[in-house]
Structure formats: C-alpha cells, structure tokens
C-alpha cells in the first residue's frame, strides 16, 4: 500500500487577503526579510498554499535587486511549493533548476521534491532517476525514509524486485516508521515471489491483523503453509480467514483448501471447495478442472465428472491423457459407449503414460467392434497386436479380430489380414470361406469378374465351406454366363439348383432364369424351355419383370422348337395384356405367321407393330422383315416402299445398307436399271467398306456389261476409288496372315496382319485385318497398340466387325486405361449400333459407368432410365442407374426425391454404389438439418459400406460435422482427429484437418478452462 499525499489547491486570493499592503510596509520597516522568513515558516509547516504566493511576491519584488543566495532560495522555495501543489508548470522549472543550479544542496533537495512529484504521478522511471540525484546528505531522516520507501515501491511497480527488496528491508526494520506496515507487506510479497517462504511468512505475520492487509495477507500465509508442506495448517488457516469474512481472495482460499484436501486424497472434503471455485471463477486452470472432475468421479457423480474431463483433451501431457482415461471410464459407467470410444481414442494418441496408451488403444479397438465400426476395429486391433505382442490384452484382441472377420462386411481388409497371418488357428480357418466368398461377391458387384472367379476357385478348395458352397455355385454360374462360358454356367447353375440356398440375389428363380438364357445361347432350346418354365410356372400381369421375361423366353424356346401354337399362346398373353415386351411378342408372332406360310398375315402383323409401337427397338427389324417378305413373294414394288421407310430415316441404322442393297435388287428385278444403278451407287458412296458395297459393285458391273457400257463402269470404279481388280499381292498377303490366325499361331498372325495393313491400308481386307490385329494385341494385353486398330474398324462402321470393335475399344478405355471420355464415346456408339440385346445392355452399362466417372449425371439420366427399363438387368446395373438418377435430383436441390432415390439404391444390396448411396442419403439428411437421422444414416454407412474406404472415411467426416452442429465438440474433435491422422487418402486427410481446426478454435472460445 502506498502512502497517501495530500493535494493542495493554489488560492492566491486567500493568501493575499491575509497579508495586506500596509502590513507588508510595517514588516518591511522592521525587517526587510520578514515576508521571506514568514513564507519559510509556512513552508516548514507544510502550508504550501499560503507560502507559495509569499515566495512568488517576494521573488517578483526582489528579482531585479537581489542576486546570489537569496535569489536561489526564492526560486527553490517557489518551485518546490508549486510542485507540492501539483502545479504542472513547475516541472520544467524544477528540471532546469536541477540541471543548471550550482548550489549543490538546493540542487539535491530540488531533485528529491521533483522525484516525489513524479512518484505521485506514477512515473516511476523518472522518479527513480531524480531520487538518485537527490542523495541523502541534505535530507532529513524522515525524507530519507520516505525516499527509500518510494524508491522501493517504484522498483516494485517496475517489477525490479531485487532492488525493491533491499529498500523495503530497511524500512520494515523500523517499527516507528509510518511505512513500516507497507514495507513489511511488499517485502513479504517479494520474498513470497522468490519462494523464500519463511522470510515472507515472518513479514506477513507481523501485519496479518493490520486493517489495510487483514483481507489480503491470509491468502499468502495459507499458501506459504501449503508450499512448506503443512497442508493441515494451510487448510485450518484458510478456513479461519474465510470465517472472518470479507476476504479479498476468498475464492482463491477455497481453491487452496480444495487443492490441499485433494492432495491428501480427501476427495469428499475437497469437492465443495473446488466446486465453488470452478463455478465462480472467470477462468480456471486445467489442473483445477481436473481435480474437481476427479472428485466428482470418486463420488460417483459421473455425469458431472464427464463435463469437466471433456474440457481437458487436446493436449499431449499426462493431465490430458489421464483425464481422457478417466473420462472413458466414466462414460462406460454411464453406458455411453460411443463417447467412451472417443475418449479412449484421445488417450491412445497421447504418449505421456505408455500403460494408459496401451490399454486405451485396446479399448478403442474393442469398442469400435462393439459399436459396429469394424473397419476401425480391424485396423486398431491389428496394430495393437503388433505393437504390444506381450500385452495381457493380446488374446482378447485376437478373439475380437476373429469376430470382426466373421461378422464384418470389410472382406477386402479381412482377406488381406488373413494373408498376413503366419499362424492360422482352426477358428480362423473356419472363417476363411465366408471371407473369400464375401470378397468374391464384392468383385462381382464391381464388375471385376476375373478376380471374383479366381477367389471362387480358391473357395471350392477350402475346408469348412459347406455353409456357402451352394451360393458360391450360383455366383460361379453367374460369372461364367457373363464371360460367355455357357457350358460352365449351365454346370454351376445346375449344381446350385440341386441344393439351393437363398442369399440376397441368389435364389432358385434367378438361377433358373440365368440357366434358361445359358441354354438359349447354347441353342439347347428344350432345356431352355424347361428352365424358363420353372422360373415362371405361372404368370399374371402382376408377376415380376424377371418372371415375365422368363415367360417370354419360354415362347422363344417354343418358337425355336417350332411348337408355334404354344409359342403363340405365350406371345398373345403379352399382346392381349399390353405388357412390356408386347412389341417383341408381336414381332415374333409375325415371324410365326411367315414360318407357317402365311405371308399376308405376317405383313399385317408387322404393319401393326410399326403402327402401334413406333418407338420400339424392333421397328426397323419389322420393316426389314416386311420388305424381305415382299421380296420373297416377288412383290418388288411393295418391298421398295417398305425399304424406303428404313432408308429415309435420319438416325443411323445397321439395316440401312441392307435395305439399300435389297431396294437396288428389287429395281433390278423390275428391270428399272437406272434406279437400280443409282441405288447401288448410293451404297458404294455411303458405305464403301461394307459387304453390301461389294455386292452392289457386282450388280453395277452386270448392268453396265448388259448395257454394253464398259467405259461407264470403268469411270464409276475410278470415281469411287475402287480398283477394277484386287491385286494378287493384296489377297496373298492377307490370306497368309489369316492362315496363321486359323492355326492359332497368334504371334506370327499379329505380325502378318500389321504387315498387310502397312502395305494395303485401304486394301480389300483392311477392316477384317484391322479387327483381327486389334483382337490379337488385346489378347496379349497390349491395350495401347490394340486401340488404333479397333478405332479404324469403328471409323468405317457399319461393317461386320464394327460392333465388336466398338465393344473392345470401349472396354479397354474403361477398364484398362481409365480413359472415361473415350469409353463414353465408344459405349455410346455401341449402344446405337448393337442389335444383340446382350451387347446393347453392356453398352448401356458401360456408358452409364463412364458418365458416372465423368460426373456427367445430367447427361446420364436418360441412359440410366433406359437401363432401368431393360428386363433382367443385374442388381449392380440397377444400383448405378438409380444412383445417377438420385445424384441428379440432389444436384438440382430436389432433396426429398434424392432421399427416396438413394434409399432405393442401397436397398438393392452391397456394392460401391450402395456405399455411396448410403453416404449421399446421410448427406441429404444433413443438408435438410435433420441431424439425428443424418447421424444414424452416417453410422449405417460405416457399418454397411464394407470394403469401400472412401465412403467410410467420408461418413466419418460427415459425422464430425454433425457432432459440431449438435454442439458436441468432444466427439466432433475425436472423430475428425482420427480421420486427419489415419485416413489413407490425402484429400480426405486435408478435408478433415480443415474442419478440425475450426472445431478446436470454437471449442477453446467457449471453454472457461485456460488453454
């Protein structure tokens, strides 16, 4: 506490009224220095407001008459009085006096008064400067004591405690000094600061009952007892001070009592004091929050303990780790496993206490499994077993790993883990068939048929595979069918049917359905009829699309077996009920009429198809059949009329070259040679590389020769760059290569075809040679070299090889080169060119996948809808098509429709598409602010997404955002911290870290714990 100095107001009027003009004359007559002496007397009595005007008046009256000592004295007293009266104008005069005066005593005294002036103005640096100039030779003992105290206080205020302590030490030893109490306080404080507790205690005890310090000193005394290890004494002294009341540091005293009790492990006694301190303090230390939370924990008040421990994560010290460890246990005791898992994660990431780190990593993995986070459980427990091979928790960890393998959907990681095990227990071997089977199905859903096939081959060789062997036969059959290995497909599908087990898509209906198609491809129509009949023994308009399609194929098998009456019964069912496929049924009915020798009925039925189903895929085929029927009946005029309907279409069609050729032949048979020639010329001009073009040239040759116009024929050939006769070298070079091809000498055949094309780039056989060169290079997996050959074939479409060339070019670009722009182009061409239903279906699949990879969801929607309308499409096709439709809804902010569409996708089964659909479903819920349902959906994605790490990680990030929006900073931080540190994909690590930084900043802003 600093001494208080009085401030006086300068009142000239009052002073001058006391000393009148006549009075001055009388004094002057008696003693010329009487006024000066009177002013000095007032100065000595500290009546500065009265002394100042006398000194000032005397100075003015004598300044021109006097010199030397009197003048110095007058200036000295005048300036000092003004300083005492706090006059700002005197400061410069005082500084000049000290700087220029030669009277050393007055100079030092002026420095003292100027220093005191600065001291009172709290300018401690200037005060110390002038106190140094003042010295002590000319000061009274009182002034010396005041100066030393003021110097001490100035040093103290400037935190120069060493210098301050020496000065206070002098004053505190003089009990009569007015600064005695203050000096003891400040001396005690400095000794306390320097941890010289006994010296500090001695000073504090001298003044503990002084009114100025009775509210302050008990806090320091209590702390000294505590620091000296006298906890009981500290507690008693603090309690006594609190009982007196009105303590300045009452809250800190409660903190000290609580802390002392805590260290004595008297947690029940500590709790109320720590509780009150934390509740009322503006901010608290981490240690205080920890002690209070621990007391709650010991008292069984786990919910209160949780609130405090949650505030203490995020650091790398032992306090943070121990807090998270206890927090996890508190969560477990209140059955909050999800929160306990997060707490164990924080603890496991801290290395301050290695034993707690070990236990926490195990528990984090264990709880991850309990809560369905199988991917995390697998990773954490696998890491744990390697990091702590001697841990007592290893046996349990291995048991849990076995359960993860058995029940998890992450077959990819499960199989990889199994491959790394050097010793495989019998229990693990029993789980292997499930893992391999599950991974094989993953590959099927991802269209990786070769990988799936290899795993199923391995599966069949395993022990303990009986549980899944039936379903494995189903999928083996499916793979064989998709690879066009129909004999093998028949074998495995029949094995499944012998002992069927229903498992998702695997069921007797689909098995019989696929078996029927395999028999159709093998042209075994009686067996196909049998299989389709079992797939659809009864039929109605409410039957499923698969059953309806199976029933239609019954009709096809009957048709091929020439059992036309029964086939008609099937087709009429679709026609009469106007079902999907009625156009095809009508087309087949027309073919039956033709096969039964009823050409007029056939033409009428085909006409009905084209009239009623103008957008049908069979529209052009129906026209072609009608035209061919007229041609067979030599009704050339009608045939021409029908063919022209095909020719005049603006859209490309593989039927156009044939229709043109047949039209030319019809004109030829009608002896309309001019029209015939013109038609044949059109074929040669528009389709120069087609087989129809070669036939057309022969007709043109015959017409011109019949007309005896060889020159016109020669001109025509030259005009179209057609050699009059193909060179012998052209034919021999191609035939030599093709002979190697038929003899399976593929290496020399490849060289031969490439040699042929280099010599005859536009030779007679360049399309066939290009296709076969591409086919051989593709078989050798030299995909980059194969592509240009396929591209050349497609460039001259339509031709006999253009469909297959487009198919292979599309496959190479999609699967091997990941050039999705190119695969989109070729799949799109293939879709427009293909007549075969299976190839057209693959084109639609590939086009959709390419557009999906390119994020062209708007462009993909129409194709997706076309694919969904196809009969018998695989589940993964439905998933991707549905996903494209759903994403288009989401991008156009039609969130309710997107939500429903995503649900439709993931309900179909497990694949990468369903994994994304689940994530997007959660994302849509989040966008709609439906946080509770979004959280559940994100959890479901993590549990059900299987091997698809990208969507699992994205779901964790979404969970972190959901927790953040819910105000649950603890779980938000834990979730995103785990992703930021462990995610395999750099872009997802960065995304998680950016969100984590925001959350930590927000958490710290809202916490009262000092960070």
């Amino acid at each position: 506490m600093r001494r208080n100095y009085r401030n006086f107001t300068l009142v000239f009027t009052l002073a001058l009224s006391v000393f009148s003009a006549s009075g001055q004359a009388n004094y002057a007559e008696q003693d010329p220095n009487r006024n000066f002496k009177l002013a000095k007397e007032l100065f000595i009595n500290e009546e500065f407001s009265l002394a100042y005007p006398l000194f000032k008046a005397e100075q003015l009256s004598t300044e021109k008459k006097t010199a030397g000592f009197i003048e110095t004295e007058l200036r000295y007293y005048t300036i000092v009085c003004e300083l005492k009266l706090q006059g700002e104008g005197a400061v410069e005069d005082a500084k000049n006096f000290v700087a220029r005066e030669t009277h050393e005593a007055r100079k030092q005294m002026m420095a003292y008064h100027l220093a005191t002036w600065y001291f009172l103005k709290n300018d401690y640096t200037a005060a110390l400067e002038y106190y140094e100039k003042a010295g002590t030779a000319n000061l009274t003992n009182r002034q010396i004591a005041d100066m030393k105290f003021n110097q001490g206080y100035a040093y103290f205020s400037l935190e120069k405690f060493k210098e301050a302590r020496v000065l206070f030490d002098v004053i505190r030893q003089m009990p009569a000094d007015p600064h005695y109490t203050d000096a003891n306080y400040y001396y005690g404080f400095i000794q306390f600061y320097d941890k010289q507790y006994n010296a500090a205690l001695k000073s504090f005890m001298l003044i503990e009952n002084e009114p100025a310090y009775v509210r302050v000193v008990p806090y320091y005394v209590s702390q000294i007892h505590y620091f000296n290890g006298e906890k009981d004494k500290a507690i008693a002294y603090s309690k006594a001070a609190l009982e007196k009341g009105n303590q300045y540091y009452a809250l800190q005293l409660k903190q000290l009592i609580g802390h002392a009790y805590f260290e004595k492990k008297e947690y029940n006694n500590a709790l109320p004091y720590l509780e009150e301190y934390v509740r009322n303090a503006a901010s608290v230390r981490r240690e205080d929050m920890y002690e209070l939370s621990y007391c709650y924990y010991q008292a069984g008040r786990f919910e209160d303990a949780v609130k405090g421990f949650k505030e203490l994560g995020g650091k790398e010290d032992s306090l943070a780790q121990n807090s998270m460890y206890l927090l996890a246990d508190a969560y477990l005791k209140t059955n909050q496993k999800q929160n306990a898992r997060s707490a164990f994660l924080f603890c496991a990431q801290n290395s301050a206490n290695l034993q707690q780190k070990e236990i926490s990593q195990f528990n984090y993995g264990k709880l991850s499994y309990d809560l369905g986070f199988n991917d995390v459980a697998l990773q954490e427990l696998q890491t744990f077993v390697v990091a702590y091979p001697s841990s007592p928790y290893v046996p349990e960890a291995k048991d849990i790993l076995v359960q993860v393998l058995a029940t998890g959907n992450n077959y990819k990681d499960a199989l990889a883990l199994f491959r790394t095990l050097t010793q495989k227990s019998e229990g693990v071997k029993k789980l292997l068939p499930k893992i391999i089977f599950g991974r094989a199905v993953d590959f099927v859903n991802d269209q990786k048929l070769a990988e799936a096939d290899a795993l199923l081959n391995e599966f069949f060789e395993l022990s303990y595979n009986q549980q899944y062997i039936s379903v494995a036969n189903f999928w083996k059959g499916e793979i064989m069918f998709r690879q066009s290995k129909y004999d093998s497909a028949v074998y495995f599908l029949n094995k499944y049917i012998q002992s069927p087990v229903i498992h998702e898509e695997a069921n007797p209906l689909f098995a019989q359905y696929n078996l029927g198609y395999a028999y159709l491809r093998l042209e075994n129509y009686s067996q196909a009829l049998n299989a389709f009949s079992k797939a659809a023994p009864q039929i109605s308009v409410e039957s499923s699309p698969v059953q309806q399609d199976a029933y239609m194929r019954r009709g096809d098998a009957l048709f091929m077996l020439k059992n036309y009456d029964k086939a008609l019964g099937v087709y009429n069912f679709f026609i009469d009920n106007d079902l999907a496929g009625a156009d095809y049924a009508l087309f087949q009915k027309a073919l039956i009429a033709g096969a039964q020798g009823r050409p007029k009925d056939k033409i009428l039925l085909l006409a009905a198809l084209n009239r009623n189903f103008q957008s049908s895929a069979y529209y052009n085929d129906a026209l072609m059949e009608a035209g061919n029927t007229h041609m067979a009946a030599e009704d050339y005029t009608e045939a021409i009329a029908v063919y022209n309907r095909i020719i005049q279409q603006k859209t490309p069609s593989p039927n156009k070259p044939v229709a043109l050729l047949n039209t030319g032949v019809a004109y030829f048979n009608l002896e309309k040679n001019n029209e015939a020639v013109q038609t044949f010329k059109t074929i040669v001009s528009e389709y120069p590389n087609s087989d129809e073009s070669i036939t057309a040239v022969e007709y043109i040759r015959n017409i011109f020769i019949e007309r005896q116009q060889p020159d016109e024929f020669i001109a025509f050939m030259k005009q179209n760059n057609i050699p009059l006769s193909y060179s012998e070298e052209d034919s021999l070079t191609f035939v030599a290569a093709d002979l190697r091809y038929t003899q399976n000498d593929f290496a020399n055949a490849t060289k031969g075809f490439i040699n042929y094309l280099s010599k005859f780039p536009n030779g007679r056989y360049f399309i066939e040679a290009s296709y076969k060169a591409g086919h051989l290079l593709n078989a050798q997996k030299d995909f980059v070299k194969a592509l240009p050959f396929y591209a050349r074939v497609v460039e001259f479409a339509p031709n006999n090889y253009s469909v297959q060339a487009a198919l292979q070019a599309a496959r190479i670009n999609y699967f091997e080169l990941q050039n999705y722009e190119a695969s989109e182009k070729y799949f799109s061409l293939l879709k427009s060119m293909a007549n075969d239903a299976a190839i057209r279906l693959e084109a639609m699949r590939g086009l959709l996948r390419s557009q999906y990879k390119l994020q062209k969801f708007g462009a993909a929607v129409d194709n997706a809808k076309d694919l969904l309308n196809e009969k018998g499409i695989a589940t993964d096709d439905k998933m991707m098509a549905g996903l494209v439709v759903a994403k288009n809804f989401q991008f156009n902010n039609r969130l309710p429709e997107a939500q429903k569409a995503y649900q439709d996708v993931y309900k179909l089964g497990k694949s990468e598409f369903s994994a994304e659909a689940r994530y997007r479903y959660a994302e849509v819920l989040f966008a709609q602010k439906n946080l509770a349902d979004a959280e559940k959906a994100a959890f479901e994605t993590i549990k059900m997404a299987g091997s698809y790490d990208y969507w699992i990680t994205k779901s964790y990030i979404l969970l972190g955002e959901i927790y953040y929006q819910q105000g649950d900073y603890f779980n938000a931080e834990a979730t995103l911290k785990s992703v930021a540190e462990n995610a395999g994909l750099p872009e997802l690590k960065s995304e998680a870290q950016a969100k984590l930084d925001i959350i930590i900043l927000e958490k710290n802003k809202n916490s009262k714990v000092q960070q």
Side-chain angles (χ1 to χ4, degrees), residues 441-447 475 505 849 876 910-911 913:
V441 174
D442 281 347
F443 279 133
V444 172
N445 290 332
D446 291 339
Q447 296 295 303
W475 285 112
E505 287 184 69
R849 282 169 169 75
D876 53 304
K910 298 171 186 174
S911 74
F913 306 128

Side-chain angles (χ1 to χ4, degrees), residues 299-310:
R301 293 171 59 179
F302 298 117
E303 292 293 347
D304 291 323
V306 161
K307 292 175 185 176
F309 284 137
K310 277 175 65 175

Side-chain angles (χ1 to χ4, degrees), residues 732-759:
L732 288 174
T733 304
F734 174 78
V735 169
D738 201 44
L739 182 62
R740 297 289 187 184
Y741 183 82
T742 57
Q743 292 174 344
N744 297 329
D745 183 0
F746 297 133
N748 286 315
T750 304
K751 293 177 184 177
F753 287 131
I754 293 174
N755 177 55
Y756 169 80
L757 290 167
S758 67
K759 290 182 177 180

Side-chain angles (χ1 to χ4, degrees), residues 918-951:
R918 286 184 180 279
Y919 170 77
R920 298 294 180 193
Y921 175 70
E923 189 179 52
V924 168
L925 290 169
F926 180 73
Q928 294 173 312
K929 306 297 183 186
N930 189 346
L931 301 182
D933 287 343
E935 180 182 353
K936 292 177 185 176
F939 272 124
E940 281 300 306
T941 305
I942 292 165
K943 292 178 183 178
M944 303 300 294
S947 308
Y948 306 106
D949 294 338
Y950 181 87
W951 298 114

